[in-house]
Amino acid sequence: MIRKLSLVVAVMCSIIAPSSAEPETNLAGIWTITVQDGECEFGGQAAVRGSESDGRYVADLTMRHACPTFPDDGFVVIQTSEISVMNGQVSVRSKIVDFATTESWGVYAPDHFALTIKSAERLFGIQTDRYGTKPAEWVRSKAGVS
């Protein structure tokens, strides 16, 4: 009985405790962002700065959202973001800083992301704003940060 109980406790601890085999990924660098939005082009770039020591980063995002129903070339929006990482999960909370297109005022909402670290070069999850959620992927640039 005690042997079975010890085995159950050991298995439960291995499920609950974070795996030490899962390395923390330093997110600093340049990332290309792609958001799946049907027939629209939606994506951009994030320049991420910070340190993995406390799991907190900041980023400058430039996003472009163009759809056949949008005016001219769509919306180009510059945002600043706070990023936190915990147990392989990445939370990105953004604020709009500026609009490169004047039509964006009052229409474009900040882009927030809930992502899972798939590898040191790839994050996958969702983009969310006041209009809903869409699948999103962040891919690290091979060039790195200068």
Side-chain angles (χ1 to χ4, degrees), residues 32-120:
T32 299
I33 303 168
T34 306
V35 180
Q36 296 175 18
D37 188 17
E39 61 188 32
C40 301
E41 294 178 32
F42 190 9
Q45 189 176 65
V48 179
R49 300 175 308 284
S51 164
E52 67 183 302
S53 62
D54 65 355
R56 297 211 170 270
Y57 300 84
V58 294
D60 297 316
L61 269 65
T62 301
M63 297 293 288
R64 179 177 178 271
H65 198 171
C67 294
T69 59
F70 289 177
D72 298 323
D73 218 14
F75 306 119
V76 177
V77 181
I78 300 161
Q79 303 172 67
T80 184
S81 303
E82 294 182 1
I83 301 174
S84 59
V85 181
M86 181 182 280
N87 296 326
Q89 301 300 306
V90 179
S91 172
V92 180
R93 302 292 298 169
S94 303
K95 292 180 185 175
I96 294 174
V97 175
D98 199 7
F99 296 100
T101 54
T102 57
E103 295 85 7
S104 302
W105 289 104
V107 176
Y108 199 96
D111 296 301
H112 307 298
F113 295 88
L115 305 162
T116 300
I117 298 172
K118 294 298 185 179
S119 72

Side-chain angles (χ1 to χ4, degrees), residues 36 126-129 131-135:
Q36 296 175 18
I126 60 168
Q127 176 273 350
T128 184
D129 58 26
Y131 301 109
T133 61
K134 297 169 186 62

